[in-house]
Amino acid sequence: MASLFAPHLGTNYCPTDEEASHIKSFLVEPGLRLRRLDDKIAELQNELDKLAAERESLVVYIDGHKALISPLRRLPLDIVQEIFLACIPTHRNCVMSASEAPVLLGRVCSSWRAIALSTPRLWSRLHIVEPQRVYGSDLTLCEAKAAQRFAATKTWLSRSGNCPLSISLLCRPGETQFAVTMPSATPLFLQALIPFAARWQHIDFTLSPAAVYSILPLMESDVPLLQSVKLQYDNPFTPHRVDLGNFRMLRGSRISSFCGVGNEIVGESLPLQWHQLTLLEMTTAGPWQTSLTSERVLEILRQCAELRTCKVSVNDRLETMIPSLPHVEVKSLHTLELHCEVLESTVSRLLHRLSLPELRNFTLSGHVHFTQDPPSLASCFASWSRLESVDISSDSFAKYSLLTSLQSLPDTVRQLKIRDTADRSLPGAVPLTTALDDSALAILTPTDGLPPQCPNLESLDLEACIAISDEAILRFIVGRMSDPSGTRLKRVNVDLNRLMTLDILPSIQPFIDAGLDVSIAHFAPYKVQFSPWQGLADAPWDPESPTPWRYAA
């Protein structure tokens, strides 16, 4: 439709009064046509709505009949139960939540609910959390929540039939300033659990020392199915002592796994059947808290012929004499974690007296007290011919001993983690000495066509290091990824407690594109703020402003 004012459309042109009158007259016919089109569209839309409603009714009708012949409805009950069981978490116990199985399964339909309630194995695993009480919270509400969970616990376990039970109980931290006005509900939950002790198979209890006494009277005959026990203090620094020497429940004939975490909960006179253990953990919040010495650990390991995993805290500080310790062989041990006080003594007196032909994973950390020669793991690494994973603290060694230890790593090592936890007053502050520097990384880097140490290395973690340069990291990655004789890296994670000196990302981008997983974090300086909104509650967030601590390259 031609218009005299077409050249002015979309501009800021202002028509005169005569032109405005002409425009109004001109738009009469287009306006009438527009109304006719709107009426037609409304008529057609009404027809479409009727057809859509009819279609929806037919869909519901057809789907309802199709549901009757759904293959899922025709599945045998045992198959449906197996599908339900496959929905249960395998890495932990089930929680009291409608967002996951088994509770979620009972919320789908009445048929599924009936199946879920009639399948005891769905209810044989349970994680219980005592409601936390915090200052200022409604005490009545907290008590009501605890009572609700107590009732839910009894109901849950009543559905488990005669199945062996796996139970984890996390109690509220005790011995707080609110303990008198806000009493713990732990006895309530233990009251619900103890009657089912005959079906305990795996238990993981985090309790206060006082609550531990509630289960001490249990005998081995009371827990005939018990296979694994984990006892942990809710407050690892509590001075309260618990004597587990008469904890007869631990003498169970099926117990193959024991974890004791906390001060004095790992007493030396535990009445365990040591010869049948496959997993043993006796650790404390700090190695200085334990009374286990190298001599006692060797004596325990001598009795654990079937042990496969061992994690212990060792304290040799109080030893004034060096006894004549025996050499012990643990043929099946594949994972060993040592957290030591007086690491030098532990290495020389414990590790050098252990024969571990099947060791695959090794972790060592501790407080260093060098009185003679700094500890070296060279002879140990050389004898562990199947070692695959190593996790050590660089400040547990002098520089020379760390280098000799790394040079002795067997070719089987695939994962290596070194933590540089030397004391620093601030992030970025250089310690007086550190063993972890470019020379340590150079041992793992191919040079002049010579193969590096650990030719099968796939994963490297360097944590909180400060003396390793960006150039050394670049040489390591390029050398490893370009070395035709060795295994290509899959993962590199470096936490550099200093500023960036060289951006290596462009140089290693081709390797990242090829699948290498790289994470390099630097200490980031505080960015000066020039925002005119500073100090206001509704100040906009600046995504370009890094945190004052770290950023990832």
Side-chain angles (χ1 to χ4, degrees), residues 333-379:
L333 191 70
H334 61 69
T335 299
L336 176 62
E337 289 189 16
L338 294 178
H339 308 278
C340 311
E341 180 76 2
V342 191
L343 182 139
E344 176 186 354
S345 300
T346 303
V347 172
S348 60
R349 300 167 57 191
L350 177 58
L351 289 179
H352 290 166
R353 286 173 170 79
L354 278 177
S355 176
L356 308 172
E358 294 295 325
L359 189 65
R360 309 296 175 90
N361 311 294
F362 176 69
T363 298
L364 177 66
S365 65
H367 293 259
V368 185
H369 303 277
F370 296 149
T371 57
Q372 301 175 6
D373 295 330
S376 173
L377 297 176
S379 60

Side-chain angles (χ1 to χ4, degrees), residues 234-249:
D234 53 9
N235 182 359
F237 296 101
T238 178
H240 197 105
R241 299 171 65 92
V242 178
D243 182 10
L244 299 182
N246 295 319
F247 198 2
R248 295 291 301 277
M249 182 182 78

Side-chain angles (χ1 to χ4, degrees), residues 383-434:
S383 64
W384 296 337
S385 59
R386 294 179 176 268
L387 196 62
E388 296 179 0
S389 172
V390 176
D391 182 344
I392 56 178
S393 299
S394 67
D395 57 308
S396 299
F397 303 84
K399 182 175 181 178
Y400 173 76
S401 60
L402 176 64
L403 297 183
T404 56
S405 297
L406 292 178
Q407 289 170 341
S408 301
L409 287 172
D411 292 348
T412 52
V413 171
R414 297 182 179 275
Q415 300 178 20
L416 175 62
K417 180 176 182 178
I418 307 177
R419 290 166 280 112
D420 188 3
T421 55
D423 292 335
R424 305 178 180 89
S425 58
L426 290 172
V430 180
L432 295 178
T433 59
T434 179

Side-chain angles (χ1 to χ4, degrees), residues 250-276:
L250 297 181
R251 292 185 59 86
S253 60
R254 297 190 179 189
I255 295 179
S256 61
S257 172
F258 175 78
C259 297
V261 182
N263 184 21
E264 294 303 326
I265 205 170
V266 293
E268 299 180 20
S269 57
L270 291 171
L272 290 163
Q273 301 287 347
W274 301 101
H275 66 278
Q276 65 190 25

